[in-house]
Amino acid sequence: MYYKNIADLNDIILKRLSIIPHDIDLIVGIPRSGMLPANLLALYLNKPYTDLDSFINGHIYNAGARSKTFNPAASNKVLIVDDSLGSGSALNKSKAKLEAVSGKYELRYCAIYVAPGTEKMVDYYFDVVALPRFFQWNILNHPSLEKACFDIDGVLCVDPTEDVNDDGEKYIEFIKNAPPLYIPGNKIGALVTSRLEKYRSETQQWLNDHGVKYDELIMLDLPDKEARVKAGSHAEHKAKAYLAKPYTLFVESNLQQAAHINALTQKPVFCTENFEMVYQSQSFVYNIKSGKYLPFLRKYALRIRDMIK
C-alpha cells in the first residue's frame, strides 16, 4: 500500500513545477480530488483556475476576484488537472465532457500521481505511484473501506474529556451527543472500539443518526471502566480484530496505539492524530520516561500477536 498526504502533494508539485509550460493560460481542476492540486498549481504559477463544469460554462476564479465571465479571446492553452491516474476511466469521462469546447482551446492534461504504465495517457505527470494507494484527501471515501477497521473516538467523533468519562450518566450523554469528526462516505468493514459492550445500544444509535455504514461493531467485553483501565489492552483488542479477517487498513486516532497495532499485526495503520500512515518498517512505541517514540521490537510484537489470535 502506498500513501501520500497533502504535504507530499505540495512537495512534489514544488519539486517538479518546471515541467508545466509557463504559457498555460488557465488551469482547470477535475472535481473533486483534482481541485486541490489545480489550486496549488494556479497559486504557484500565478494563473487563473476553475473547475471542469465552470470552465465549460464560461466562469473562472481569478486573482483578486471570486469569479468573472471567462473571456475565450484571452486564453487558448488550458491545463486540465486531476490528482491521480489509475485505469484512466475518470480521465476519459472528463475528456468526453470537454468535447463541447475542445475545438475552441488547446487542451492539455495533467495528473500529479500516475500508475505505472499510464504515463503516456497525460501530457504531464509529477510522480509514478503504484496501486494500491491512498491519499489524505480521499481516504475517507475510498472504495476499499469495506476491508478496513475504524476506531470510533477520535476518528468518527471527538474523544471524551476526562470530566465526562465517568462510566456513568455523563458518559452516556457524551455517547449520545458526541460531535462527529471524520464520517466516511463509504461502508466500513468493522468498527473496533475500546468502548464497553454495555454501551452498544447508545453507540449504535449515534452511528445510525450520523449515517455511518458498517458491517460489524466490535466492543470491549469488560464490566466497567476500572476493569478496562486495569486490562490496558486497547491496542491488543484492536489488533485481534484487525487480524481476524483479511482487512487491509486500520484507522486509529492515537499515534501510540497506531504504532502498537501496526507492530502487532504487521499491517498498515492510518492515524488521524497526524494524518500519517504507520507501516511495518515504522513501528514505534512511546517511552514514558524519555518522552519519545522508540522502535518496537518485532520479536515481542509477534509473540503478543500469537497470544491474541
Side-chain angles (χ1 to χ4, degrees):
M1 179 189 296
Y2 297 89
Y3 172 74
K4 299 292 183 181
N5 61 22
I6 293 174
D8 295 325
L9 175 73
N10 187 63
D11 288 346
I12 195 64
I13 287 176
L14 288 175
K15 182 179 180 180
R16 289 175 48 79
L17 187 64
S18 61
I19 69 171
I20 305 299
H22 212 76
D23 62 353
I24 291 292
D25 298 308
L26 175 67
I27 294 175
V28 176
I30 298 176
R32 182 171 62 174
S33 296
M35 295 305 295
L36 178 58
N39 195 1
L40 290 173
L41 285 169
L43 288 171
Y44 295 141
L45 295 172
N46 195 24
K47 302 291 183 180
Y49 99 112
T50 188
D51 64 274
L52 192 69
D53 292 319
S54 295
F55 168 58
I56 294 171
N57 294 326
H59 296 279
I60 66 171
Y61 296 89
N62 211 343
R66 296 196 61 159
S67 65
K68 70 176 185 179
T69 302
F70 180 56
N71 181 7
S75 300
N76 178 45
K77 296 179 180 179
V78 178
L79 184 68
I80 311 298
V81 179
D82 208 351
D83 67 325
S84 61
L85 178 62
S87 66
S89 60
L91 178 66
N92 289 333
K93 289 179 181 178
S94 297
K95 286 184 177 181
K97 293 184 71 172
L98 287 163
E99 286 181 0
V101 297
S102 60
K104 300 177 183 180
Y105 309 101
E106 181 182 332
L107 301 180
R108 301 178 186 178
Y109 293 88
C110 169
I112 308 302
Y113 300 111
V114 300
T118 66
E119 295 91 336
K120 293 183 179 180
M121 295 181 68
V122 289
D123 299 293
Y124 313 101
Y125 67 90
F126 284 72
D127 198 6
V128 179
V129 179
L131 302 172
R133 61 195 180 194
F134 285 95
F135 302 127
Q136 180 180 349
W137 52 93
N138 76 357
I139 194 167
L140 293 177
N141 291 290
H142 203 279
S144 66
L145 289 188
E146 286 194 74
K147 296 181 180 179
C149 300
F150 270 60
D151 184 19
I152 295 180
D153 296 320
V155 179
L156 300 182
C157 70
V158 300
D159 275 313
T161 58
E162 283 299 320
D163 63 313
V164 303
N165 196 7
D166 64 350
D167 202 17
E169 291 301 318
K170 288 183 179 180
Y171 185 61
I172 292 174
E173 191 65 22
F174 163 78
I175 293 177
K176 290 180 177 179
N177 300 288
L181 277 178
Y182 312 114
I183 305 297
N186 292 330
K187 190 177 183 180
I188 301 167
L191 301 178
V192 188
T193 176
S194 292
R195 288 184 182 183
L196 300 176
E197 184 67 41
K198 63 182 179 179
Y199 298 117
R200 176 173 291 271
S201 62
E202 292 88 354
T203 298
Q204 288 175 323
Q205 184 60 56
W206 186 93
L207 294 168
N208 182 66
D209 291 343
H210 291 85
V212 180
K213 301 178 287 293
Y214 58 95
D215 283 328
E216 60 179 333
L217 171 60
I218 301 171
M219 308 184 77
L220 202 55
D221 193 12
L222 292 172
D224 52 33
K225 178 184 176 182
E226 183 180 354
R228 182 181 64 187
V229 173
K230 184 177 180 180
S233 59
H234 304 300
E236 289 84 355
H237 164 66
K238 294 170 181 177
K240 183 178 180 180
Y242 195 9
L243 288 168
K245 294 182 181 180
Y247 293 121
T248 58
L249 180 69
F250 198 106
V251 180
E252 165 62 39
S253 63
N254 180 274
L255 183 57
Q256 181 181 354
Q257 286 192 42
H260 200 166
I261 295 166
N262 167 252
L264 293 172
T265 63
Q266 302 299 297
K267 297 202 286 185
V269 180
F270 178 67
C271 183
T272 58
E273 183 176 323
N274 59 358
F275 270 76
E276 293 285 355
M277 191 76 72
V278 181
Y279 294 102
Q280 179 176 338
S281 60
Q282 300 171 320
S283 295
F284 298 88
V285 291
Y286 187 71
N287 184 287
I288 297 176
K289 290 183 179 180
S290 67
K292 298 179 180 179
Y293 286 92
L294 302 175
F296 190 81
L297 295 177
R298 187 171 187 273
K299 180 173 67 175
Y300 172 70
L302 293 176
R303 186 166 71 248
I304 296 180
R305 185 184 67 178
D306 291 338
M307 291 171 60
I308 63 176
K309 274 187 177 179

